[in-house]
Amino acid sequence: MQPIERIKEFGGWLNRYRHASTACGCEMTFSVYLPPQAETGRVPAVYWLSGFACTDDSARTRIGAQRDAAELGLALVMPDTSPRGAEVPDLPDRDDLGQGAGFYVNATQSPWETHYRMYDYVTRELPALVEQELPLMTGMRSIAGHSMGGHGALICALGNPGMFWSVSAFAPICNPSLSGWGRQCFSAYLGDNRENWKDYDATCLIESGASAPPLLIDQGTDDEFLADQLHPENLKAACERHGIPCNLRMREGYDHSDRFVATFIGEHLAYHAKALGLMRDG
């Protein structure tokens, strides 16, 4: 881990790092916010996954999570959304496929399979790295995300029972096998056999018996992508059929933007802090 930036915020430190990733076969950049409590001991972490066309910088500059994280004693781990670099395949005229749109899967198709392994990066390589090098509690972690990152948070939690103590999402792509975004990314990264898509589709994972902590999902009613891309009703129905608690909150008038996330990010971090034992009822 090579530190490349350090900024004091709300009594803690917003740090940015670069490292050589084995999973992605390239140099990766990520950010970590360490709350003031990390000066005197180890703290639990929330992993935040961003959406299309974002980087690690998007979360730390747009959604205002650091103030709440400082008050709650939570670290924030904010990875990039895909591998990057001159050697990494890309479609420069697209923001929904290629660099910036890794979709949090392990690609199996050429030319993507060597570098586009964001699932392993988020669930294996990055947690092992930061929990070794930073004052984070080993194994005490939760996960959240927005849009494509909300999809990533759901599938990482569903595919790795016990790894994350809680999971939440804003406007996630809940059933990507049925959405335009999901179909194009899955076809490119995973091939045309739709059976292979199910391992990275939250609704399909639940239908196949995957377990997870209770799900917290916020969805804006004025989200321009709600009808065609997100399908939260499918996820909710699958959870009801399989006994997984899912608190789907339809937020009247809110859209798909970072301003929607910023409005409710404090509630999500409090939800994770409670699951991680930092808060108690009353």
Side-chain angles (χ1 to χ4, degrees):
M1 284 171 51
Q2 175 189 355
I4 55 177
E5 189 175 35
R6 190 167 189 253
I7 302 170
K8 186 84 169 183
E9 282 190 339
F10 306 111
W13 291 95
L14 179 61
N15 302 315
R16 203 175 196 193
Y17 302 95
R18 185 180 294 122
H19 76 114
S21 168
T22 300
C24 295
C26 64
E27 194 170 73
M28 295 289 286
T29 300
F30 64 93
S31 293
V32 179
Y33 177 70
L34 293 173
Q37 295 86 341
E39 296 284 347
T40 56
R42 292 182 174 270
V43 296
V46 173
Y47 287 71
W48 176 265
L49 308 185
S50 294
F52 285 128
C54 293
T55 68
D56 65 297
D57 195 46
S58 304
R60 67 188 198 144
T61 59
R62 295 181 188 174
I63 63 174
Q66 289 92 300
R67 181 189 295 274
D68 294 295
E71 293 176 356
L72 294 166
L74 285 171
L76 300 174
V77 179
M78 297 165 278
D80 204 343
T81 54
S82 79
R84 296 184 193 268
E87 74 280 16
V88 176
D90 190 22
L91 296 173
D93 59 336
R94 300 277 294 274
D95 62 7
D96 55 358
L97 188 65
Q99 292 187 32
F103 225 76
Y104 302 103
V105 304
N106 287 340
T108 60
Q109 304 299 300
S110 177
W112 314 101
E113 74 274 24
T114 299
H115 299 286
Y116 283 73
R117 303 189 62 82
M118 288 300 295
Y119 186 87
D120 279 353
Y121 183 71
V122 169
T123 61
R124 302 287 182 265
E125 184 174 20
L126 186 58
L129 178 65
V130 296
E131 289 178 9
Q132 176 180 316
E133 299 293 334
L134 297 174
L136 304 182
M137 291 180 175
T138 302
M140 287 193 67
R141 61 183 89 85
S142 294
I143 192 165
H146 175 216
S147 192
M148 179 186 73
H151 144 81
L154 292 172
I155 64 168
C156 288
L158 286 162
N160 297 274
M163 181 176 183
F164 299 102
W165 292 39
S166 54
V167 56
S168 73
F170 292 86
I173 307 169
C174 294
N175 200 175
S177 298
L178 300 183
S179 76
W181 288 338
R183 289 195 301 268
Q184 71 178 3
C185 286
F186 283 176
S187 294
Y189 297 146
L190 304 174
D192 293 329
N193 184 346
R194 294 196 172 207
E195 286 298 310
N196 297 331
W197 299 3
K198 292 181 179 179
D199 289 340
Y200 301 107
D201 184 313
T203 300
C204 294
L205 284 167
I206 291 170
E207 294 286 20
S208 66
S211 62
L215 309 182
L216 173 63
I217 298 174
D218 274 337
Q219 173 62 60
T221 61
D222 285 9
D223 189 322
E224 61 270 39
F225 305 113
L226 175 57
D228 297 330
Q229 301 285 7
L230 305 181
H231 302 296
E233 70 285 353
N234 293 358
L235 182 71
K236 176 71 170 176
C239 286
E240 290 174 351
R241 283 192 291 270
H242 292 272
I244 294 178
C246 177
N247 185 7
L248 172 60
R249 307 189 298 192
M250 301 302 295
R251 299 293 195 173
E252 188 67 31
Y254 285 91
D255 60 13
H256 196 77
S257 70
D258 291 322
R259 291 181 291 277
F260 164 52
V261 178
T263 302
F264 301 108
I265 189 64
E267 294 182 24
H268 281 239
L269 292 183
Y271 175 77
H272 295 301
K274 183 178 177 181
L276 290 161
L278 299 180
M279 297 174 63
R280 290 181 171 83
D281 291 331

